[in-house]
Amino acid sequence: MIIYFASDIHLGSGDKQTQRATEQRFVKWLRSIEPTAEVLFLVGDIFDFWFEYNRVVPKGFVRTLAQIAHMTDSGIRVIMLTGNHDMWVGNYLTEECGIELYTKPQIFTLKGKKLFVSHGDNTNIKGQPMLKLINAIFRSKCLRVIASWIIHPDLFLRFGQWWSGSSRKAHKTQTDLRYLDPLIEYARGYEDKAVDHFIFGHIHIPHQTDNITFLGNWAEGCSWAELDDNGSIELKNTKL
């Protein structure tokens, strides 16, 4: 059985045709791995924007959520770590889809390997006070609750879609491997030397070096990583 890792699907981004094509590719992939999946890690930015009210969630994504629910119902463990585009989660994905949800980086021991798994957006941002402030504001549970009380869902979701689109335009898919350096530096200097492998999303560059895997994105084709029974981690990048 195989443990799978994917990130940065950005469901809901682009025009209607692009949105549907991305979701179709992702659901097709989910169905293809179902027979061999032991655990599926969704390592952030699965949605281009996600915000939950007590009784309201964003419209759409029904094919993805139904497939994930089907997988968890069949005994496949699905673990999601939030990213900077889907950090505003509540209990919907857990209660309705059976997803194990984490809002911070986590260490897991699987297949005899100690894995550090993180989206990567809030990692190694020392010396960037403005970014730290923005992260603190957007990750504040108190502000999230206040916003849900005073802002109509349609207005907030419209704002979120605008903000997500602006963020993607400001950080287009990169090919320069130097964009990986801050996370590589973080991994190499990590205090727990017993960690065998680091897995990150966020940067949108599928790449593997030493004991670090960057999962890439699904804007063009798809990429993911697999951990097999021998403890080997392989990065795969193809089109469906």
Side-chain angles (χ1 to χ4, degrees):
M1 299 296 284
I2 297 172
I3 297 174
Y4 293 90
F5 303 82
S7 74
D8 296 273
I9 316 302
H10 287 279
L11 294 170
S13 67
D15 58 27
K16 291 293 184 182
Q17 183 177 0
T18 300
Q19 293 176 26
R20 180 57 58 84
T22 300
E23 184 169 30
Q24 287 175 338
R25 288 203 314 274
F26 186 51
V27 171
K28 181 179 179 181
W29 178 74
L30 290 174
R31 289 172 178 164
S32 74
I33 69 170
E34 187 173 358
T36 57
E38 178 180 348
V39 185
L40 167 62
F41 279 87
L42 303 174
V43 192
D45 286 1
I46 305 308
F47 306 96
D48 198 51
F49 179 73
W50 183 272
F51 188 96
E52 287 185 34
Y53 287 70
N54 284 337
R55 297 181 180 275
V56 177
V57 296
K59 183 170 69 174
F61 322 121
V62 292
R63 294 163 182 80
T64 298
L65 297 179
Q67 176 60 27
I68 290 174
H70 176 72
M71 294 171 75
T72 59
D73 286 347
S74 67
I76 297 171
R77 187 181 177 191
V78 178
I79 299 171
M80 178 176 171
L81 292 91
T82 56
N84 51 307
H85 284 255
D86 48 21
M87 68 182 85
W88 289 317
V89 293
N91 57 13
Y92 178 80
L93 297 174
T94 298
E95 293 182 353
E96 295 298 323
C97 301
I99 294 173
E100 295 178 38
L101 200 59
Y102 297 93
T103 58
K104 295 180 180 179
Q106 299 291 316
I107 292 178
F108 300 88
T109 300
L110 300 162
K111 306 288 189 184
K113 296 290 185 180
K114 193 172 185 180
L115 308 176
F116 179 98
V117 186
S118 170
H119 182 64
D121 63 298
N122 202 24
T123 303
N124 200 14
I125 56 174
K126 296 178 295 183
Q128 301 182 66
M130 185 56 66
L131 182 56
K132 292 180 72 173
L133 175 62
I134 292 172
N135 274 337
I137 291 172
F138 277 94
R139 292 178 186 275
S140 168
K141 291 183 179 180
C142 180
L143 290 179
R144 187 178 72 192
V145 171
I146 292 172
S148 69
W149 285 348
I150 64 177
I151 303 176
H152 189 279
D154 285 348
L155 293 176
F156 203 98
L157 291 172
R158 184 174 297 179
F159 160 76
Q161 289 163 352
W162 168 83
W163 172 78
S164 293
S166 299
S167 176
R168 276 185 287 101
K169 289 178 182 178
H171 302 88
K172 295 180 179 179
T173 300
Q174 305 289 350
T175 57
D176 191 336
L177 295 182
R178 287 178 296 181
Y179 285 96
L180 307 176
D181 287 348
L183 292 178
I184 292 175
E185 177 187 15
Y186 175 85
R188 289 177 175 168
Y190 192 66
E191 58 187 9
D192 186 351
K193 301 303 179 183
V195 170
D196 296 299
H197 206 95
F198 293 81
I199 296 177
F200 296 112
H202 187 55
I203 306 297
H204 288 200
I205 302 175
H207 186 71
Q208 196 167 38
T209 177
D210 298 329
N211 64 333
I212 308 168
T213 296
F214 295 92
L215 296 170
N217 76 102
W218 286 57
E220 309 90 10
C222 55
S223 58
W224 69 93
E226 299 180 5
L227 171 62
D228 64 22
D229 287 332
N230 296 320
S232 298
I233 298 178
E234 181 181 1
L235 179 64
K236 298 196 172 184
N237 186 14
T238 185
K239 290 194 175 185
L240 292 176

